[in-house]
Amino acid sequence: MNLSFLKGKALLLVSALTLFLAGCGTNELSTLRPAGEVGREQFNLMILSIIIMLLVIAVVVVLFTIAVTKSRRSKKGEDFEPKEVAGNHTLEVIWTSIPILLLIVLAIPTVYFVFKQADTEAMTDADGNVNAEETVINVRAYQYWWEFEYPNEEVVTAQELVVPTDQKVYFNLQGADVKHSFWVPAAGGKMDTNIDGINSFYLVFDDDKSQDADRLFYGKCAELCGPSHALMDFKVKALPEEEYDQWLADMKAVEEPVQASSEDAQRGEEIFNNSCMGCHAATPTSPGAMGPNLTNFGDRELIAGYLEHDQENLEAWIKDPESFKPDNKMAGTYELTDEEIEAVASYLMELKVEEDSGDVSQLREPAADEESEEGGN
């Protein structure tokens, strides 16, 4: 008796914890706290399906309770025989029609939003080229890092995605080695990055929600892609349009790698140019490099996607990347002494983009020039 009572209490406690923990989450990483149009639409679909499920459960529980309480032998007697309902066409129509109606109620908004969120025609112009009037970002997934290219502005960066708020941001997704999956939980559902094709979709980041999340959201790979799959994270900075345009202009203004200032950093720059430049670029151009673009490495929030951004962690990462991200492509491709690693780390920490160094008015000048030439022809 006591054992059954304890089991009941344990079950009740687990149920209560499940209910409360289901509401846990943070603004930057929770699908239950949508931060944009797409995430909100998908969240509402989830709520609709839960309401339908609870409705079905409630009806079944009520009918079962009525049947149990009204049909007890103590009330009906030992000789009572229930009415035969097999073959009752009315009942069969009812319990067949109800599930169909519930599925229709769920299917209509689901189909509508599937086609709505798959509409990416605006990202290309009449000639099939990238639309210069829209925000388009090409995403390439590697084991175990992310590259982000802004084709209209000819800017490339890695690991930290910067997007404007309160407008559609279109993504072209592709995998470079194996299948990955691009996912920003607070903004919307995931989509695969295939090797043999490009998947496209869009997300919207609300400015108010971005402020609540300190303008920083978390992104993840949602497809098992190797031993370090769980560490394949990236950050999303959601900025107002003016700040976003200024960031792009600042990045575009970088034509040469940052010149090291300190003595250690100068020595590190020389080592970097001789040992690291073959895989890593220090200017925001040339997509498709073997390693992450490091133009603004000193401005980033994290190292390797999840380590705190400081020189100590950077030196540890360069010294033994395999211990942090097993099976990564960087391990074993170079040999540096501890002094050389310290110098390279000093240089990398100085790779920062000067704020307000770019001219926003010239940000999309090449695209405008091309349009003018086409109009002249």
Side-chain angles (χ1 to χ4, degrees):
M1 183 68 178
N2 290 335
L3 184 59
S4 300
F5 177 72
L6 290 175
K7 285 183 178 180
K9 289 185 66 176
L11 181 60
L12 182 62
L13 178 61
V14 170
S15 301
L17 286 175
T18 302
L19 179 63
F20 284 109
L21 290 175
C24 293
T26 55
N27 293 330
E28 68 273 9
L29 189 62
S30 177
T31 57
L32 302 180
R33 297 184 179 184
E37 174 187 316
V38 176
R40 203 158 40 245
E41 291 170 349
Q42 294 172 351
F43 177 78
N44 291 338
L45 278 178
M46 181 174 65
I47 294 300
L48 176 61
S49 63
I50 291 174
I51 290 173
I52 292 174
M53 177 190 69
L54 293 176
L55 177 63
V56 171
I57 291 175
V59 171
V60 171
V61 169
V62 169
L63 293 177
F64 176 79
T65 303
I66 292 173
V68 169
T69 55
K70 282 195 171 186
S71 301
R72 298 176 65 86
R73 289 187 181 275
S74 59
K75 290 185 177 181
K76 299 294 185 179
E78 293 293 334
D79 299 328
F80 172 75
E81 292 185 6
K83 182 180 178 181
E84 181 64 52
V85 295
N88 187 311
H89 294 300
T90 301
L91 288 177
E92 290 179 354
V93 168
I94 290 174
W95 59 53
T96 302
S97 301
I98 290 176
I100 292 175
L101 290 173
L102 293 176
L103 287 175
I104 291 174
V105 169
L106 186 59
I108 290 175
T110 300
V111 172
Y112 169 76
F113 285 125
V114 165
F115 282 94
K116 178 179 181 290
Q117 295 174 7
D119 182 9
T120 58
E121 290 186 6
M123 69 189 297
T124 55
D125 58 23
D127 298 323
N129 300 317
V130 177
N131 189 344
E133 301 299 320
E134 300 292 341
T135 300
V136 180
I137 302 174
N138 297 332
V139 178
R140 293 182 184 85
Y142 299 78
Q143 290 177 309
Y144 301 90
W145 59 279
W146 301 86
E147 178 185 84
F148 306 112
E149 177 193 6
Y150 301 75
N152 285 327
E153 297 78 17
E154 299 179 343
V155 166
V156 179
T157 187
Q159 291 301 92
E160 288 194 359
L161 172 65
V162 181
V163 297
T165 56
D166 292 338
Q167 62 177 272
K168 288 184 178 180
V169 181
Y170 294 93
F171 296 93
N172 290 316
L173 309 176
Q174 189 169 24
D177 33 43
V178 299
K179 178 185 284 190
H180 303 274
S181 192
F182 178 84
W183 188 29
V184 185
K190 64 179 181 177
M191 181 166 284
D192 287 347
T193 63
N194 298 322
I195 305 172
D196 53 355
I198 296 176
N199 286 333
S200 301
F201 79 140
Y202 71 87
L203 295 173
V204 179
F205 298 82
D206 289 348
D207 193 67
D208 291 342
K209 297 293 186 181
S210 299
Q211 291 184 57
D212 293 340
D214 294 328
R215 300 207 173 277
L216 195 65
F217 296 99
Y218 286 76
K220 303 186 73 66
C221 175
E223 182 79 28
L224 182 60
C225 56
S228 292
H229 156 69
L231 304 175
M232 191 173 166
D233 296 351
F234 62 95
K235 294 289 181 294
V236 183
K237 288 185 177 180
L239 304 176
E241 186 175 4
E242 290 184 2
E243 294 182 27
Y244 169 75
D245 286 345
Q246 186 62 61
W247 175 83
L248 276 176
D250 294 345
M251 289 288 286
K252 192 173 178 63
V254 178
E255 297 180 353
E256 298 291 335
V258 173
Q259 297 299 307
S261 58
S262 67
E263 184 177 341
D264 282 347
Q266 289 173 356
R267 192 157 57 92
E269 180 180 8
E270 182 179 352
I271 297 169
F272 179 87
N273 291 336
N274 293 330
S275 302
C276 311
M277 191 66 80
C279 296
H280 298 280
T283 54
T285 55
S286 303
M290 293 178 64
N293 188 290
L294 302 177
T295 302
N296 60 342
F297 179 84
D299 295 323
R300 293 178 186 170
E301 299 284 337
L302 299 173
I303 295 171
Y306 75 101
L307 297 173
E308 186 176 346
H309 194 274
D310 58 43
Q311 181 150 340
E312 182 180 354
N313 281 333
L314 179 56
E315 291 177 14
W317 163 255
I318 298 173
K319 185 175 183 179
D320 187 13
E322 184 71 17
S323 65
F324 294 97
K325 278 190 175 181
D327 194 43
N328 75 86
K329 308 303 180 186
M330 181 173 164
T333 59
Y334 55 88
E335 292 184 6
L336 298 175
T337 64
D338 290 347
E339 290 75 15
E340 290 173 328
I341 289 174
E342 183 179 352
V344 171
S346 297
Y347 171 63
L348 293 179
M349 295 299 285
E350 290 190 4
L351 291 180
K352 299 181 179 181
V353 175
E354 183 181 351
E355 292 185 7
D356 300 326
S357 59
D359 186 352
V360 176
S361 65
Q362 298 180 0
L363 184 58
R364 297 175 179 86
E365 201 172 56
D369 291 344
E370 289 177 9
E371 290 178 2
S372 300
E373 291 176 7
E374 290 175 2
N377 294 333

